[in-house]
Amino acid sequence: LWARQADIGKKRPTVVARFREVGNARVGTPVVIRGVRAGRIEQFEIRDDGRVTARIALNEDTHLPESPAVVL
C-alpha cells in the first residue's frame, strides 16, 4: 500500500490553501473534489497569524474549478 502512494521521481501540480483550523486532517490525507479523489495533503505550516497553510499535491489530471472552496 505504501508503495502505491509513493511519487518517486514524479512532479505533481501543487496548490496552497489557508485554513483557520484543520481538524483531523494530516499529511497524506486524501483530497476529494466533488466526490473524486484528486490528490493528497503534502505539508502543513502554522503561520504567524495563527492560520494554517496546507500544500496539496494534485493528481496530474485534476482541474480545479475557477473559485474553489476547500473544506476539511
Side-chain angles (χ1 to χ4, degrees):
L1 179 63
W2 177 82
R4 283 186 62 204
Q5 293 182 355
D7 292 329
I8 298 170
K10 278 189 175 179
K11 286 278 190 183
R12 298 173 75 177
T14 59
V15 295
V16 176
R18 290 181 296 172
F19 302 94
R20 289 194 173 125
E21 59 181 74
V22 294
N24 291 327
R26 54 184 108 167
V27 171
T29 297
V31 173
V32 178
I33 299 174
R34 297 181 179 157
V36 177
R37 191 170 178 164
R40 69 176 182 262
I41 297 174
E42 282 193 334
Q43 178 184 25
F44 286 111
E45 183 177 322
I46 299 173
R47 297 168 25 128
D48 291 339
D49 63 3
R51 292 183 185 239
V52 178
T53 57
R55 186 174 68 206
I56 301 169
L58 299 173
N59 297 340
E60 292 178 12
D61 58 348
T62 298
H63 301 283
L64 293 177
E66 190 171 315
S67 297
V70 180
V71 179
L72 293 178

